[in-house]
């Protein structure tokens, strides 16, 4: 059997492989940025807790996954609410994933990745965007109550729209 490859086919294969590499690099960059933002949100939340004499929250992989799922769903299904596109609450989403909990709470937020965000300025860094969303939660009575509540663990999830609007979810849990 003789295989004949033409130049056009070869160029197409190389283009596809290069496109996959670019997509992979972009995904890795986004994951690294989201991880850095999540870490800063955990640190800033713990600074607020320490200032009022509360114990620090421990990062939890299950709660990170639950938070990320909710942030991604808010982007994918175009909603902004604690009740998701399937009508489920944070507790129900945790149950669906078999994540145990004795108490659970959730904060959500939105901040654009932009140079001139009202009240925040330039949010185009992990430090700036995390400060903006945490300050917003701190200034909201319900969100603040969750932040200083009697919880042991925290998960943080971030997802960006194509227009660079970041959706944030914090899930607080006692196992």
């Amino acid at each position: 059997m003789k295989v004949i490859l033409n130049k056009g086919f070869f160029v197409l294969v190389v283009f596809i492989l290069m496109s996959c590499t670019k997509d992979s690099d972009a995904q890795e960059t986004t994951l690294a940025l989201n991880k850095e933002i999540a870490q800063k949100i955990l640190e800033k939340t713990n600074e607020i807790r320490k200032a009022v004499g509360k114990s620090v929250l421990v990062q939890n992989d299950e709660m990170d996954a639950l938070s990320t799922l909710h942030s991604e769903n808010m982007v994918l299904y175009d909603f902004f609410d604690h009740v998701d596109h399937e009508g489920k609450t944070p507790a129900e989403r945790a149950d669906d994933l078999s994540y145990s909990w004795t108490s659970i709470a959730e904060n959500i937020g939105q901040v654009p990745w932009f140079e001139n965000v009202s009240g925040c300025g330039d949010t185009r860094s992990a430090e700036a965007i995390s400060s903006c969303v945490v300050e917003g939660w701190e200034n909201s009575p319900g969100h603040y109550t969750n932040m200083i509540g009697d919880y042991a663990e925290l998960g943080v999830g971030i997802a960006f729209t194509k227009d660079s609007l970041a959706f944030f979810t914090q899930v607080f849990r006692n196992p």
Side-chain angles (χ1 to χ4, degrees), residues 49 54-55 57 143-152 172 174:
R49 291 176 63 83
K54 296 287 186 169
S55 61
L57 298 167
H143 294 102
Y144 180 73
T145 298
N146 289 341
M147 292 172 75
I148 63 166
D150 292 325
Y151 298 102
F172 303 84
N174 284 318

Side-chain angles (χ1 to χ4, degrees), residues 75 78 80 109-114 129 158-168:
V75 168
D78 192 27
F80 184 69
Q110 294 177 344
V111 177
W113 183 269
F114 192 65
I129 203 164
I158 300 109
F160 284 88
T161 66
K162 290 179 183 177
D163 296 332
S164 299
L165 177 63
F167 283 72
F168 299 91

Side-chain angles (χ1 to χ4, degrees), residues 28-169:
E28 286 180 28
T29 300
T30 299
L31 288 174
L33 176 63
N34 288 358
K35 185 175 181 173
E36 182 181 359
I37 294 168
Q39 180 61 37
K40 290 186 178 301
I41 289 172
L42 172 66
E43 291 168 2
K44 292 173 186 312
T45 301
N46 279 332
E47 288 170 12
I48 291 166
R49 291 176 63 83
K50 286 189 268 186
V52 296
K54 296 287 186 169
S55 61
V56 297
L57 298 167
V58 176
Q59 179 274 332
N60 180 272
D61 291 341
E62 287 182 347
M63 294 303 97
D64 280 350
L66 185 62
S67 297
T68 299
L69 174 68
H70 191 59
S71 290
E72 289 174 349
N73 281 339
M74 286 192 289
V75 168
L76 184 62
Y77 295 101
D78 192 27
F79 70 93
F80 184 69
D81 201 322
H82 296 286
V83 176
D84 71 14
H85 62 290
E86 296 179 331
K88 295 184 179 183
T89 66
E92 291 167 326
R93 290 191 296 273
D95 291 344
D96 285 350
L97 295 170
S98 300
Y99 296 156
S100 63
W101 57 273
T102 57
S103 56
I104 197 165
E106 179 181 82
N107 285 347
I108 59 173
Q110 294 177 344
V111 177
W113 183 269
F114 192 65
E115 63 187 313
N116 189 19
V117 176
S118 179
C120 293
D122 189 339
T123 59
R124 296 173 297 173
S125 71
E127 178 63 34
I129 203 164
S130 61
S131 291
C132 186
V133 73
V134 170
E135 184 178 313
W137 287 328
E138 185 177 18
N139 292 327
S140 166
H143 294 102
Y144 180 73
T145 298
N146 289 341
M147 292 172 75
I148 63 166
D150 292 325
Y151 298 102
E153 300 173 343
L154 179 67
V156 178
I158 300 109
F160 284 88
T161 66
K162 290 179 183 177
D163 296 332
S164 299
L165 177 63
F167 283 72
F168 299 91
T169 305

